[in-house]
Amino acid sequence: MRLLVGLGNPGAKYERTRHNLGFRVAGLAAGKLGVALDQTRWNAVLGSGRVRGEQVAIVLPQTFMNLSGESVGHAARFWKVDLGQVVVAHDDLDLTLGRVQVKVGGGDGGHNGLKSLRQHLGPDFVRVRLGIGRPPQGWDPADFVLAKFAAEEERVVEEMVPIAAEAAVLALLEGTAVAMNRFNRRPKEAEGWKGEAQEKVDLAGSDTSGKPKR
């Protein structure tokens, strides 16, 4: 069994917040894989199926972020999933808005969902990191991640989420090395190009440090 986890908070009020990017990616990946998220178990919404001859499951914990590891731990133990075949999609303050990166292991970076997963699984699961950037000066990171994106930021996110879903599916089915080789770069920026939506954010919402304004 291979396990894809999307991190987020349950409830309509959190749906489009920065902290719920993992849910958005996992939901889109489920559609790509043809897996219906039509089950509830272990305080999670989940689905499972066979894709390319492999058993896969997608789990969206409904425990609120800081207890995510409880649901995922139950699923991983029930299906006897190797830690290297657990792929977790999550928001990341330490990456610039719009950037996607695949990695294995690491710390929690102050992310309570990752902290809980590390407590219940250990550190060496696969991560698909979705950059949200750092908050502007004076904005508490805890409030920042629970806020919704500004309109121009949301356009960047709409470009990022499908890319992250592709990265998650690739890591799940073909392995971390393949996904890292394909996605661990700043697409087109290395050639001096940025997506149209990102350019608009930079022009409309940057201070001298390059961070989007609130």
Side-chain angles (χ1 to χ4, degrees), residues 118-139:
R118 283 167 51 85
Q119 290 171 345
H120 288 269
L121 298 177
D124 295 327
F125 50 88
V126 181
R127 299 131 184 258
V128 178
R129 305 168 67 199
L130 290 93
I132 61 172
R134 283 279 170 184
Q137 187 174 3
W139 196 348

Side-chain angles (χ1 to χ4, degrees), residues 30-213:
K32 289 177 177 291
L33 293 167
V35 174
L37 298 173
D38 57 0
Q39 304 172 46
T40 55
R41 191 188 299 185
W42 309 306
N43 206 359
V45 171
L46 57 92
S48 60
R50 183 173 289 276
V51 181
R52 300 184 197 172
E54 299 287 349
Q55 283 293 123
V56 302
I58 299 174
V59 176
L60 281 65
Q62 302 295 295
T63 55
F64 288 96
M65 187 66 80
N66 63 340
L67 297 176
S68 298
E70 294 181 2
S71 295
V72 180
H74 281 300
R77 289 189 295 272
F78 177 80
W79 282 310
K80 298 179 173 62
V81 184
D82 292 336
L83 198 53
Q85 294 183 330
V86 177
V87 179
V88 180
H90 65 89
D91 59 294
D92 199 304
L93 289 163
D94 291 329
L95 294 182
T96 56
L97 178 66
R99 187 176 175 197
V100 174
Q101 184 187 74
V102 180
K103 67 174 290 188
V104 179
D108 59 52
H111 192 295
N112 285 330
L114 294 178
K115 181 178 180 180
S116 181
L117 286 172
R118 283 167 51 85
Q119 290 171 345
H120 288 269
L121 298 177
D124 295 327
F125 50 88
V126 181
R127 299 131 184 258
V128 178
R129 305 168 67 199
L130 290 93
I132 61 172
R134 283 279 170 184
Q137 187 174 3
W139 196 348
D140 189 321
D143 295 329
F144 180 72
V145 299
L146 293 177
K148 296 182 179 181
F149 292 99
E152 295 296 347
E153 292 175 318
E154 181 63 34
R155 293 188 181 95
V156 178
V157 171
E158 288 173 357
E159 295 176 359
M160 172 173 61
V161 167
I163 294 170
E166 290 180 21
V169 168
L170 196 64
L172 193 69
L173 297 179
E174 298 189 28
T176 308
V178 176
M180 290 172 70
N181 285 338
R182 186 173 301 180
F183 292 97
N184 282 11
R185 59 186 185 274
R186 293 176 175 85
K188 301 185 183 180
E189 284 190 34
E191 303 169 12
W193 184 95
K194 290 186 179 181
E196 180 181 356
Q198 181 64 65
E199 286 180 338
K200 289 180 179 178
V201 170
D202 290 346
L203 291 171
S206 295
D207 58 20
T208 55
S209 67
K211 298 176 182 177
K213 293 180 180 177

